[in-house]
Amino acid sequence: MHASDSLTYVLLVHAAPGGGSGARGALRFARALLARGHRLVRVFFYREGVHTGNRLMVPGGQESGLAADWSALSREAGFDLVLCVGAAERRGVLDAAGARRHGRAGDSLAEGFRIAGLGQLIDAAVDADRVVCFGD
Amino acid sequence: MPTGWCASVTEPEAVGGADRHRRRMLFLFAAGPRAGLRGREGLDAVLMAAAFDQAVTLAFIDDGVFQLLPGQDAAAAGGDDHTGGFAALHLYDVDRILVERDSLQARGLDAADLRIAVEVVDGARLGEELRAHDFLFGF
C-alpha cells in the first residue's frame, strides 16, 4: 500500500461489553484496519462504551478479556484508549484521582485506559480521515 | 433506525472543504429526552464540537423530536433536565437545526410547537445532509 492510501482512523465505541456485537466488533475492526496498513490514533469510549474500561466488570462469555485485548493492541500499535470522564463517572468507572476527588472507596479503571474529557474525541476527529462508531 | 451509530463518509481529498480543521459534524438525535442519558450525552458532544469551532448541524428524527419540546419538568419525575441546553445553542453559533417532517407529523407536532427555530426537512433531504457531512454521530 502506498503511504498516500493509508488513512487515519478514530474509533468511537458506544457499546458496552456483553449483550451485543458492537463492543467486540470494534476491536476486530481495529485489528483489521491496522493489518491493512491504516493508522489508528485513538479509540474513544463514550456512552455505555465506558464500561469497557471498568476492571471490575465481569461480562462473561466472549466479552471477557476485552479490556486486556484492547490494552495489548493499543500498546502494540501505539494508539490510546480514552474513556469520557463524564460518561465514566456516571457509570462508576473512576481512576484513582477521580475516586479520591469524589470520596469513593476504590477505583475501577482498567489498565491501559485513561479518563479524559470529550474534547479528546473532537480533537482526534478533527485530524482524522475516518471516524467509525460502534453502537449496539 | 440504528442507535448509537456514526460513520465518516468523506474521501480524504474532500475532507473539510477549504479548512481541514473545521469539519462538518452532524449529530443525530433519534431518542426521546427521557431515554436514559442519550439526549444529555448527545448534547454534551454537540457543545464540545462547537467549542472546537467545528461546523455543527443537529438533526432530530423519530422520538428525538421530543427533545425540542418546551416546558419539560424533569424535576417532577425526579430527573435532571438537559433539554434547556438546546435553547442555548445559538449562543455557541450552532444554528443548523434540522427536524424530520414525518417524525413531527406522526407525533401530532409541527415546528411551532418546538422551543427553538428549526428547519423542517423531508427524509430525502435529510439523507442529502447526512452525505454532505464529514462525520455523523448518533444518539
Side-chain angles (χ1 to χ4, degrees), chain B residues 18-71:
Chain B
D19 182 353
R20 162 115 192 159
H21 295 288
R22 189 158 195 264
R23 314 305 283 276
R24 297 161 297 188
M25 300 186 178
L26 187 148
F27 295 82
L28 186 74
F29 291 82
R34 303 267 71 81
L37 291 166
R38 286 167 66 182
R40 156 84 188 269
E41 294 185 327
L43 185 57
D44 285 349
V46 165
L47 295 174
M48 187 58 72
F52 273 71
D53 194 34
Q54 301 302 292
V56 173
T57 300
L58 281 73
F60 295 84
I61 192 171
D62 297 337
D63 282 349
V65 303
F66 289 131
Q67 299 271 356
L68 296 179
L69 289 181

Side-chain angles (χ1 to χ4, degrees), chain A residues 3-10 39 41 122-131, chain B residues 8 10-25 52-55 133-135:
Chain A
S4 60
D5 295 333
S6 172
L7 302 173
T8 297
Y9 279 79
V10 170
R39 195 170 152 246
V41 170
I122 305 299
D123 192 50
V126 165
D127 290 326
D129 295 312
R130 298 281 186 275
V131 175
Chain B
S8 163
T10 48
E11 295 304 315
E13 310 80 53
V15 150
D19 182 353
R20 162 115 192 159
H21 295 288
R22 189 158 195 264
R23 314 305 283 276
R24 297 161 297 188
M25 300 186 178
F52 273 71
D53 194 34
Q54 301 302 292
H133 282 73
D134 299 317
F135 302 133

